[in-house]
Amino acid sequence: MAETKPILGANHGAAGGGRSSFADTYVMDFEKPVAELERKIAEMRSLATGSGMKSLSVEIDRMEKKAAHMRQEVYRNLSPWQKVQIARHPRRPYTLDYVTRICDSWLELHGDRGFADDHAMVAGMASIGGIDVMLIGHQKGRGTKDNLFRNFAMANPEGYRKALRFMRLAAKFRRPVITLIDTPGAYPGLGAEERGQAEAIARNLYEMARLPVPIVGIVIGEGGSGGALAISVTDEIHILEYAIYSVISPEGCASILYRDAGQAPQAAESLRLTAPDLLKFNIVDGIIAEPSGGAHNDPDVAAANVKAQILTSLDRLIPLPEDRLLAARHKKYEKIGFWLDH
Amino acid sequence: MALEWFKRDRTGLVSQPKKATPDNLWVKCDSCGEIVFSRELEKRLHVCPKCGFHFPVPGDKYVSILTDEGTWEEFDRELHSTDPLGFKDQMKYSDRIAASMKKTGLHEALTTGTCAIGGHPCVMGIMEFAFMGGSVGSVVGEKFARAVDRCLAERRALIVVSRSGGMRMQEGMVSLMQMAKTSVKLVELADAGLPYISLLTNPTTGGTTASFSMLGDVNLAEPGALIGFAGPRVIKQTIGQDLPPGFQRSEFLMEKGFLDRIVPRSEIKSTLETLLTFFMKKEPKAS
C-alpha cells in the first residue's frame, strides 16, 4: 500500500488523545463522586506546583489512589442502563479515533457509486500491524455541527451500499474486512425508505454471508439493531466491555412494551444488551477489556486492546481456506436461537 | 388446539363457510366502507369487490389459494418458543406466547410445509400477523432454516408469504440474529440454484423486510400492502411532518424499484406458476 498519512475526519480537532481532553467535559451521574475527587486533585496539584509545597504530593498520591479505587468500584457495579450511557458517552472514542490509533496507514475512500457519500459510514484501506485490511465503520460526530454532518452515525441506504462496495473491493483483492460498529440504528427517514433502507440492509446480510475473505467485527459503542447488523455478519465479532448491542433501543422498547419511555432503565435490563449477556447467548465471540473508567478515560489503552484482538482474530482466520471459512461462518449463524422440538 | 384447516385434505379450494351468525353475514370494507356479503367476499378471496382492498386472511387461505389441491403437508409444526431471556414487560413472554397460540391455533408466527404449485415441488412458509405481530424470533428463524434445508434435500423452490412487524424484542439480540441466520440460509439456497420467491403482504416492516422478505429472486406484493423498514409513526416523528399519501405502500415500492410485481390475490398462483416454470423447468441438454 502506498505510504499514507492518517487522514482525519472532521471531528478530529476536538477528539485528540490524552485523558483530559477526552474525559473532562462530560460527566455522567454515577461518575460524579470520582470526577469531584479528581477535580480536587487537580486543584491541589496546581497549588503544589505554584507554591512549591512538596508535602502536598503525599496527599495527592493518596487521593489519586482513592480516586482510582472509587472508579474501579463504580465500573465494577454498573447497571445495564449505566452501560448504555457509557456506550453513548459523547467523549467515547469513535471509529476514526480508533483508526488513528490502530492503523499504520489509512486512506479513506468515499461513495456508494450510486447516490451519495454517506458520512455516517466511513471506509478505507488500512494497514494494521502490517496486515492490509479494508476497514469500515459507523462514524458518530463530536458536537452538534459534526453530528449533523455524520447524521449521528445513522446511515441511509447509500451508507450500507457504500460499506458493501468496499467489502466487495476487499474480496476482489483478497483483503480481510474489519468493521467497527457504533450506531443508534439505521436512519428512519423519508428518503431512506424511498431508496430502500430495508433492501440495503438485507443485501448486506446476504452478501456478507458469502464474502470470501475473513470479516472481523468490533462493537465499539452502540450496536443499534438492523443498522448495526448490516455490517456485523462476521467470522468473529467482539464487543468492548461497556459497549451494547440491542435489537431495539431501551427507550423504544420501553415505549412499545411498557408504554412509557421512562421505563428505559428497566427495558435495558430485560433486553440483555450488555457484553457479558451477549457472550452468554453466543451473540458475540468475545469481550475486549476497557481501561478503568471506560474507553473515554483512556482511548489509547482501549485502542491497543482493540488492535490486539483484531490481530489475534486475523491470525486465526487468514490461514483458513475459503470453503472452511464460509462453512464456519454459516454454521455460526445457523446455530443461533433457542427452541423446543416437541 | 389443532388447526383443522391444515389437517383437512382433499376438500378442495373452497374453505368451510363461516358460521352464519348475524355478526359476520356482512362485512364492512376497511378501505372504502362498502358493505359486502361475507360469502361473496370469500368467493373473491377476501378482496373487496368494489375497491379491490385485500382483507387480511389466515394462513390456511394462502394454502388453498396458492397450492395445488391436496398437496400441502405441514412440517415442523411442533417447534415452539422457549423464553431464553426470561423476558418480562407488562406480561411474561411465555404468557404472551401461550395467548398467541390460543388465539391463532398455531405454535408460531411461521407455518412451513411442502406443496406443489403448478406441479412444481415447493416449500412454502406463511407468516401469521396475529401471532405476536408476526414477529421473528428463534423459532421462526429455525423453521425458515429448516424450510431451506428441505428445499436443498428435495430440490424444491422456496415461497415465503411475509407479514410481520419485525424482530421479536422479547428475544432480544437472539431475534435480531435471525435476520443473519435466514440470510445465510438463502445464500445456501442460491448456491444450489434453487429459486426463492418472496410475497410481501400487509404489513411487512422492520427486520423482516430488512432480511428475507426483500431477498427474493423475485419480490411480489399484494396491492396496497404496507412495506417498509421503519414504521410510518417513527418516520413521521423523525421528519416532523405528515407522510405523503401512498408512502410505503406496494405501489410506492414498485415505483422505487424494490418490487418485481404487484399481484392481486386472484393472480398470485398463476404468476407463481409462470415464475416456477421459468426457474425450474428442466431444459433438454444441448448435445
Side-chain angles (χ1 to χ4, degrees), chain A:
Chain A
M1 186 180 286
E3 203 179 311
T4 49
K5 280 199 165 179
I7 298 164
L8 302 182
N11 61 328
H12 272 259
R19 267 179 99 99
S20 53
S21 68
F22 242 85
D24 276 0
T25 43
Y26 188 90
V27 178
M28 293 171 290
D29 278 351
F30 56 89
E31 286 186 314
K32 271 183 185 151
V34 188
E36 181 59 23
L37 191 60
E38 283 182 337
R39 196 183 55 75
K40 274 189 194 145
I41 295 169
E43 251 177 46
M44 281 172 74
R45 189 170 280 138
S46 65
L47 204 64
T49 46
S51 62
M53 282 189 290
K54 286 250 161 77
S55 61
L56 267 178
S57 69
V58 179
E59 177 63 10
I60 289 173
D61 269 6
R62 196 188 60 79
M63 283 171 73
E64 267 180 342
K65 272 192 192 123
K66 191 181 166 196
H69 180 73
M70 271 172 76
R71 193 179 284 283
Q72 249 173 22
E73 278 305 298
V74 168
Y75 271 72
R76 190 177 297 149
N77 300 306
L78 291 171
S79 71
W81 180 239
Q82 286 169 330
K83 288 183 184 175
V84 171
Q85 291 168 274
I86 297 169
R88 294 173 178 169
H89 197 293
R91 291 282 126 205
R92 196 170 171 84
Y94 300 148
T95 292
L96 287 173
D97 300 316
Y98 284 102
V99 164
T100 57
R101 287 171 176 81
I102 68 177
C103 299
D104 320 320
S105 69
W106 163 251
L107 183 69
E108 190 175 346
L109 300 169
H110 298 269
D112 74 336
R113 287 285 199 281
F115 181 76
D117 182 37
D118 192 330
H119 305 132
M121 185 79 75
V122 294
M125 297 189 284
S127 172
I128 302 176
I131 303 171
D132 287 342
V133 300
M134 189 67 78
L135 190 146
I136 298 164
H138 303 102
Q139 182 61 43
K140 290 187 175 177
R142 234 173 269 289
T144 310
K145 201 177 151 201
D146 192 27
N147 252 320
L148 289 173
F149 179 71
R150 298 293 182 187
N151 200 31
F152 300 85
M154 292 186 284
N156 276 283
E158 51 273 20
Y160 301 112
R161 290 177 184 136
K162 173 181 177 178
L164 180 57
R165 183 166 85 84
F166 291 111
M167 289 183 216
R168 284 179 169 149
L169 194 60
K172 180 174 175 184
F173 295 101
R174 301 283 144 183
R175 298 285 180 255
V177 173
I178 309 294
T179 66
L180 301 185
I181 296 120
D182 189 15
T183 177
Y187 187 62
L190 212 63
E193 295 289 324
E194 267 179 19
R195 299 192 293 279
Q197 190 70 290
E199 195 276 342
I201 294 170
R203 187 63 49 203
N204 278 20
L205 307 182
Y206 183 89
E207 293 297 333
M208 290 182 89
R210 57 199 284 262
L211 203 77
V213 292
I215 314 175
V216 177
I218 313 280
V219 185
I220 57 170
E222 235 182 321
S225 199
L229 185 66
I231 59 165
S232 301
V233 179
T234 53
D235 299 301
E236 277 189 26
I237 186 162
H238 298 266
I239 185 166
L240 279 170
E241 196 175 352
Y242 307 122
I244 58 162
Y245 196 178
S246 184
V247 66
I248 185 170
S249 73
E251 292 88 344
C253 176
S255 68
I256 294 170
L257 290 183
Y258 303 82
R259 302 189 194 288
D260 172 17
Q263 298 275 336
Q266 176 53 44
E269 301 250 352
S270 300
L271 285 166
R272 310 277 174 172
L273 43 68
T274 68
D277 278 327
L278 296 166
L279 188 63
K280 195 172 95 190
F281 291 111
N282 296 321
I283 308 298
V284 297
D285 299 297
I287 298 172
I288 302 171
E290 291 192 29
S292 172
H296 58 286
N297 255 292
D298 200 336
D300 291 340
V301 170
N305 294 352
V306 166
K307 181 177 177 178
Q309 182 57 60
I310 289 173
L311 292 178
T312 305
S313 297
L314 289 180
D315 204 40
R316 186 181 79 78
L317 295 168
I318 288 174
L320 292 180
E322 187 185 311
D323 55 340
R324 274 185 57 199
L325 182 77
L326 289 175
R329 192 183 302 160
H330 281 212
K331 197 155 188 188
K332 170 179 143 173
Y333 286 99
E334 282 169 14
K335 276 193 322 201
I336 298 180
F338 298 85
W339 61 85
L340 285 171
D341 258 302
H342 48 79

Side-chain angles (χ1 to χ4, degrees), chain B residues 45-252:
Chain B
L45 309 177
H46 298 264
V47 174
C48 173
K50 190 175 173 214
C51 72
F53 174 75
H54 283 52
F55 284 77
V57 290
D60 69 312
K61 268 285 163 198
Y62 283 104
V63 170
S64 67
I65 294 170
L66 302 183
T67 65
D68 296 352
E69 195 181 327
T71 62
W72 171 257
E73 221 171 291
E74 189 181 352
F75 57 81
D76 289 329
R77 179 175 171 73
E78 302 297 308
L79 219 64
H80 65 273
S81 212
T82 63
D83 181 3
L85 272 55
F87 196 95
K88 189 173 178 299
D89 47 271
Q90 290 175 322
M91 200 171 160
K92 267 169 39 186
Y93 175 40
S94 46
D95 292 341
R96 276 190 198 275
I97 290 186
S100 272
M101 285 170 81
K102 202 172 161 201
K103 181 164 104 184
T104 61
L106 302 170
H107 283 73
E108 254 299 340
L110 176 69
T111 301
T112 49
T114 53
C115 61
I117 297 175
H120 299 288
C122 298
V123 167
M124 189 158 77
I126 307 164
M127 300 191 78
E128 185 51 74
F129 196 79
F131 197 105
M132 290 192 73
S135 57
V136 175
S138 295
V139 175
V140 172
E142 178 63 13
K143 286 179 94 166
F144 190 103
R146 292 186 190 188
V148 170
D149 286 339
R150 193 71 171 252
C151 291
L152 295 174
E154 298 170 5
R155 303 244 6 121
R156 291 171 179 271
L158 179 67
I159 322 284
V160 175
V161 182
S162 292
R163 38 191 172 160
S164 163
M167 297 299 113
R168 187 173 297 169
M169 57 189 133
Q170 288 88 350
E171 289 189 23
M173 281 300 292
V174 177
S175 75
L176 194 79
M177 287 298 134
Q178 305 309 312
M179 292 170 68
K181 179 169 173 171
T182 52
S183 303
V184 161
K185 294 306 288 188
L186 286 175
V187 168
E188 292 174 14
L189 189 73
D191 285 347
L194 293 167
Y196 165 45
I197 299 164
S198 172
L199 172 67
L200 294 94
T201 71
N202 187 47
T204 304
T205 58
T208 309
T209 322
S211 58
F212 58 84
S213 299
M214 268 292 151
L215 289 173
D217 292 312
V218 171
N219 293 334
L220 305 176
E222 286 190 339
L226 177 78
I227 301 166
F229 177 63
R233 242 182 318 160
V234 177
I235 300 169
K236 207 174 144 180
Q237 221 168 28
T238 309
I239 63 169
Q241 58 190 48
D242 284 339
L243 302 174
F247 183 67
Q248 291 185 312
R249 295 286 163 184
S250 307
E251 295 72 16
F252 173 88

